[in-house]
Amino acid sequence: MAHDAPQATGPSKLVIRNIGLLLSGAMERPILDADTITAENGRITAIGHAKDVDIEGATTIIDAHGTTVAPGLIDSHVHPVAGDWTPRQSQINWIDSYLHGGVTTMISAGEVHMPGRPRDVVGLKAMAIFAQRAFWTLRPGGVKVHAGAPVIECEMVEDDFRELAAAGVKLLGEVGLGGVKDGPTARKMVGWARKYGIQSTIHTGGPSIPGSGLIDKDVVLEADTDVVGHINGGHTALPDDQIRCICEGCKRGLELVHNGNERSALFTLRTAREMGDLSRIILGTDAPAGSGVQPLGILRMVSMLSSLGEVPAEIAFCFATGNTARMRALDCGLIEVGRAADFVIMDKAQHSPGKTLLDSVRLGDLPGVGMTIIDGLVRTQRSRNTPPATNVPEIVAK
Ligand SMILES: [Zn+2]
């Protein structure tokens, strides 16, 4: 099991050359005019044309063979528990499998599947701190799992949020999965979280599994979390008029998840586009869950939204990279000097009728992943999970 990801030892310089298409992750300029990237000690240091980029001192050189390089994908909504194991469907290595779907960063929306999960205040705080620590130390396959997302309960007081923040907790689990299900209490606690620098999200829509409850538009708008978690339901979505009210009633992130209602995802996408607000769209899988885990879930969302939602593929990739990075203040997700050197290298799948990678995604096909890189280190070569890419990058010097 690839639990202990390789870590950089000593100075490193990565060069990726011969890039056929460079996706930036930024909606304002989704395609960059460059064929070479360098990264030193895990950070992007140059983006340009081969003749202008200094590749002196490279420790690893990758020939992209004309394929597409994009920022590593970010899953904005996962439910990890411990290590690379989930009790939800009794699976191991699910995070490593996501890496083979191009995902290099994950955000926990609460470690809710922990068997015997404590619901008392001391217990839930302890569990959040444990999860934050454990996933920061352990990176399955190299994937950065931002975890330690407590599910809030009515007995919590402001000092609990101060204490959590001081201990390194930076996220709340989905509001509504615990005892707090009413707008006023949620708003008060989300405000405390924000005061201490803790980001928040909310469970939107009908119950996900027996024991959870309905969160409607009034609660979502009153709670005012940073992200409207699975606005397309997880799985049961709110009616379209309520989704429109949420889109129009706030400026928060609009998260679309794989384990949600796909029609509602497309409705949200169209509403956000009409409003000129596509920069609010971010993607997650909401897995592991009753629907299982989806190693290719983020790629499937990109392809679904591009093909059925009529969004250019290069923009759909921004939903899974730059939009999420900006919304969640991550140092990855954009091809920009100084950012983390997290990349996914893709090409159109073999026998896709699309002429190019972007064309194939626009037609609804999944791309083939040829390589993933995290912090400037190659983590996987040809994916074991995607359809095979037509061309794959190659490590030519090391
Ligand atoms: Zn949920």
Side-chain angles (χ1 to χ4, degrees):
M1 289 192 286
H3 277 182
D4 295 313
Q7 301 297 322
T9 50
S12 67
K13 181 167 179 176
L14 169 76
V15 175
I16 309 174
R17 67 186 192 203
N18 228 343
I19 297 169
L21 176 71
L22 184 55
L23 300 180
S24 71
M27 281 188 31
E28 62 276 14
R29 193 158 70 112
I31 296 176
L32 296 176
D33 180 21
D35 58 23
T36 305
I37 297 177
T38 65
E40 292 175 52
N41 306 321
R43 298 268 157 192
I44 299 172
T45 44
I47 303 153
H49 289 279
K51 62 178 170 28
D52 307 319
V53 174
D54 175 17
I55 66 164
E56 188 67 29
T59 50
T60 303
I61 300 176
I62 292 163
D63 187 330
H65 289 307
T67 57
T68 297
V69 174
L73 307 178
I74 304 167
D75 188 331
S76 171
H77 193 130
V78 295
H79 291 295
V81 165
D84 201 352
W85 165 70
T86 171
R88 193 68 185 84
Q89 302 295 348
S90 299
Q91 283 181 276
I92 56 169
N93 283 355
W94 69 277
I95 297 171
D96 190 66
S97 250
Y98 269 57
L99 176 63
H100 282 258
V103 172
T104 55
T105 294
M106 296 178 162
I107 310 289
S108 174
E111 296 80 35
V112 288
H113 304 314
M114 173 66 85
R117 173 167 69 90
R119 290 163 193 255
D120 64 293
V121 176
V122 170
L124 74 87
K125 286 192 296 187
M127 197 182 94
I129 295 165
F130 162 75
Q132 187 276 331
R133 297 284 190 284
F135 278 105
W136 199 246
T137 308
L138 174 92
R139 291 182 173 181
V143 176
K144 299 167 178 172
V145 183
H146 296 262
V151 174
I152 56 175
E153 297 289 345
C154 296
E155 297 75 21
M156 294 178 80
V157 297
E158 178 174 343
D159 209 44
D160 293 317
F161 293 81
R162 185 196 57 71
E163 189 187 334
L164 283 165
V169 170
K170 295 188 168 60
L171 300 163
L172 287 191
E174 288 174 70
V175 173
L177 294 187
V180 178
K181 297 186 195 298
D182 69 288
T185 311
R187 186 181 188 85
K188 179 178 69 180
M189 292 192 181
V190 164
W192 288 336
R194 190 170 285 132
K195 177 175 173 184
Y196 296 106
I198 298 175
Q199 280 201 354
S200 51
T201 186
I202 191 163
H203 171 94
T204 308
S208 49
I209 51 174
S212 64
L214 167 73
I215 301 288
D216 66 10
K217 72 159 179 21
D218 296 328
V219 179
V220 170
L221 289 173
E222 184 159 15
D224 193 33
T225 49
D226 298 306
V227 170
V228 180
H230 57 59
I231 190 169
N232 63 320
H235 288 270
T236 313
L238 294 173
D240 289 354
D241 60 336
Q242 291 207 27
I243 290 177
R244 179 177 290 281
C245 269
I246 292 170
C247 292
E248 293 175 353
C250 71
K251 284 288 173 195
R252 303 298 185 186
L254 304 173
E255 185 188 74
L256 307 178
V257 300
H258 185 274
N259 284 347
N261 179 318
E262 296 185 6
R263 193 197 59 77
S264 303
L266 290 164
F267 176 80
T268 307
L269 181 73
R270 281 196 294 276
T271 305
R273 180 166 48 206
E274 277 168 29
M275 295 170 59
D277 262 356
L278 283 181
S279 62
R280 292 167 61 194
I281 301 281
I282 62 176
L283 306 184
T285 53
D286 193 6
S291 284
V293 305
Q294 296 82 26
L296 307 185
I298 296 296
L299 288 175
R300 286 171 56 81
M301 288 298 288
V302 166
S303 178
M304 191 273 282
L305 295 171
S306 177
S307 58
L308 300 181
E310 286 153 13
V311 169
E314 62 271 28
I315 295 291
F317 275 105
C318 298
F319 302 158
T321 54
N323 282 7
T324 322
R326 286 171 174 167
M327 188 88 56
R328 293 189 173 277
L330 302 172
D331 70 351
C332 56
L334 291 159
I335 304 291
E336 230 172 49
V337 169
R339 292 256 169 187
D342 298 351
F343 309 113
V344 55
I345 308 184
M346 303 171 283
D347 197 17
K348 69 168 188 162
Q350 291 174 12
H351 304 290
S352 168
K355 290 186 176 57
T356 63
L357 171 112
L358 296 178
D359 195 29
S360 71
V361 170
R362 187 66 192 262
L363 288 173
D365 281 333
L366 299 185
V369 169
M371 187 176 282
T372 58
I373 295 170
I374 301 178
D375 291 334
L377 296 180
V378 175
R379 305 293 176 154
T380 66
Q381 298 198 42
R382 190 196 281 279
S383 166
R384 65 171 184 258
N385 288 334
T386 64
T390 303
N391 289 308
V392 290
E394 183 185 5
I395 299 171
V396 292
K398 201 171 177 181

